[in-house]
Amino acid sequence: MLKVGLTGGIGSGKSAVAARLAERGAVIVDSDRISREVVAPGTEGLAEIVAAFSERVLGPDGALDRAALGAVIFADEAARRALEAIIHPRVRARTAELVAAAAPDAIVVNDVPLLVEVGLAPTYHLVVVVEAAVPTRLERLARDRGMDPAEARRRIAAQADDARRRAAADVVLTNDATLADLHAAVDALWADRLLPYEVNVRERRAVRPPRVELIEADPTWPQQYARLAARIRHAVAPADLRIDHIGSTAVPGLAAKDVIDIQLTVPRLAEADGPLAERLADAGFPRLPGDWWDMPRLRGDDRWEKRLHGSADPARPVNLHIREAGSPGWRYALLIRDHLRADPDQRAAYLLLKRELAASAPDAASYGTAKDPWFDEEHLRAEEWAVQTGWRP
């Protein structure tokens, strides 16, 4: 199933997005609701909280007095961590139960206010952040919840700021206009990205751009890579495998196809098969069928064998190259990247070549083959540079 993390600051309109997604057919797992359920009267969770903080955190009806509990843990880091140790494992366990009960073709949206703060982003196929300007949020909190402005500002300040949430976001929904505008954005996200993404994950199908189209360098490419790498790292755990951003999107200022190239290093190429391939497919990185290799740059070399995975996300194409540590193809990918980062003249020459070939060889196969002669020469230049600089992969 497709797992989507939904978050946003207090007053941003996250609940409105969750409600609209539910109307479209998503299974909503509300972490706030679950956190209340696991400490309801009569639960083990509430009993542990009382044992830790005394009955002063209970209201007259025997239920948890959240305001009283907040006063106890406010500005007390040890008390806050003790409370989290009681609540978080129970919330995770109940969340896992609800996700497991969803249909195999479900789109499960986990509504988590502190998703970024607790580091959950890599556990989802996609993270959606709802964002609104602080004055708009303050107005909503006063209007809809009757919240005092000072208290509203305190709560906003206690959460991750917009920049930190954006860094974790694959999708940002801006909610400063009307509810109709927000609904339109959610509907487009559902139809254009979530529905096809779910099918691609279920059917182990990767997105492959049909033609070569260069775009100007996107300064967010490294940030996008970091999110993808975190998902891959989570998928292959507990194995601690090296992951690198390679290819043109890893070279600052270089126009490129809008495809993120990633290299995953394995001790032996055979380890890329079986369970590892399945875990990557489950995480949204299915293996491409057939045999894959890189053309050797040295005469007499056998072809440089690898495994190639892609991305099931229709809005984020990826080439995930799995190569053996120390192999010629592995070293070459890192060497060329680092040489182009270091040599502005060769970077400019490569950019000129890319523009010419993109115009004359728009399909991916002919585009890649046409670059081979230039890369044969670039390999020699890069090896000389490596000797001169003492470069190591």
Side-chain angles (χ1 to χ4, degrees), residues 1 94-104 108:
M1 63 188 68
R94 180 57 179 154
T95 297
E97 289 177 1
L98 294 172
V99 171
V108 178

Side-chain angles (χ1 to χ4, degrees), residues 18 35 57 68 76 119 121-122 135 143 176 186 203 212 232 255 272 282 285 296 299 320 325 339 370 381 387:
S35 68
V57 299
D76 187 335
R143 181 192 66 212
D176 288 310
V186 173
E203 297 185 355
V212 174
I232 294 167
D282 287 341
F285 302 96
R299 290 184 179 180
L320 175 57
H339 182 234
R381 289 189 294 265
V387 171

Side-chain angles (χ1 to χ4, degrees), residues 71-107:
V72 171
I73 67 170
F74 184 71
D76 187 335
E77 182 70 13
R80 183 180 64 81
R81 292 190 178 278
L83 178 64
E84 290 174 349
I86 295 170
I87 294 179
H88 287 183
R90 289 176 166 83
V91 171
R92 285 195 294 268
R94 180 57 179 154
T95 297
E97 289 177 1
L98 294 172
V99 171
D105 62 349
I107 296 174

Side-chain angles (χ1 to χ4, degrees), residues 32-312:
D32 258 355
R33 182 178 298 172
I34 295 172
S35 68
R36 291 190 293 270
E37 290 176 358
V38 299
V39 295
T43 61
E44 292 182 0
L46 182 59
E48 280 199 35
I49 288 176
V50 172
F53 301 104
S54 81
E55 293 190 354
R56 59 183 168 160
V57 299
L58 293 178
D61 59 354
L64 183 64
D65 184 334
R66 293 181 175 274
L69 179 61
V72 171
I73 67 170
F74 184 71
D76 187 335
E77 182 70 13
R80 183 180 64 81
R81 292 190 178 278
L83 178 64
E84 290 174 349
I86 295 170
I87 294 179
H88 287 183
R90 289 176 166 83
V91 171
R92 285 195 294 268
R94 180 57 179 154
T95 297
E97 289 177 1
L98 294 172
V99 171
D105 62 349
I107 296 174
V108 178
V109 177
N110 195 183
D111 181 345
V112 189
L114 300 181
L115 181 152
V116 173
E117 290 85 340
V118 297
L120 290 177
T123 66
Y124 301 102
H125 292 101
L126 199 76
V127 171
V128 178
V129 167
V130 188
E131 186 176 285
V134 170
T136 303
R137 294 163 65 187
L138 292 171
E139 180 184 341
R140 288 175 184 156
L141 291 171
R143 181 192 66 212
D144 301 336
R145 307 191 195 184
M147 193 176 291
D148 177 77
E151 173 64 11
R153 288 187 180 278
R154 186 186 71 79
R155 294 203 185 188
I156 289 173
Q159 296 181 335
D161 60 19
D162 287 342
R164 187 177 170 195
R165 272 192 290 264
R166 274 190 224 112
D170 301 287
V171 177
V172 176
L173 295 176
T174 303
N175 184 28
D176 288 310
T178 67
L179 185 60
D181 291 326
L182 180 64
H183 283 175
V186 173
D187 292 350
L189 171 65
W190 178 262
D192 298 339
R193 194 163 187 179
L194 299 186
L195 286 177
Y197 198 171
E198 185 281 318
V199 174
N200 289 346
V201 169
R202 179 160 39 89
E203 297 185 355
R204 301 294 202 252
R205 186 167 62 208
V207 174
R208 304 294 287 171
R211 57 180 286 114
V212 174
E213 183 177 354
L214 294 185
I215 67 170
E216 293 305 314
D218 184 341
T220 72
W221 277 334
Q223 196 173 72
Q224 293 183 55
Y225 156 76
R227 289 196 295 271
L228 295 163
R231 286 195 181 101
I232 294 167
R233 189 169 289 109
H234 178 77
V236 303
D240 185 16
L241 302 179
R242 176 171 173 172
I243 305 173
D244 290 282
H245 189 189
I246 59 170
S248 293
T249 62
V251 180
L254 189 60
K257 296 176 293 181
D258 190 18
V259 180
I260 305 293
D261 281 276
I262 300 172
Q263 179 166 274
L264 176 64
T265 304
V266 291
R268 296 289 178 270
L269 193 56
E271 296 178 28
D273 304 325
L276 179 64
E278 284 302 306
R279 290 199 296 271
L280 288 171
D282 287 341
F285 302 96
R287 186 163 170 175
L288 273 65
D291 297 326
W292 295 88
W293 62 89
D294 302 305
M295 294 303 296
R297 298 297 167 189
L298 301 175
R299 290 184 179 180
D301 269 14
D302 293 331
R303 64 187 188 182
W304 297 346
E305 190 180 0
K306 66 179 177 181
R307 303 291 184 265
L308 186 63
H309 289 236
S311 169

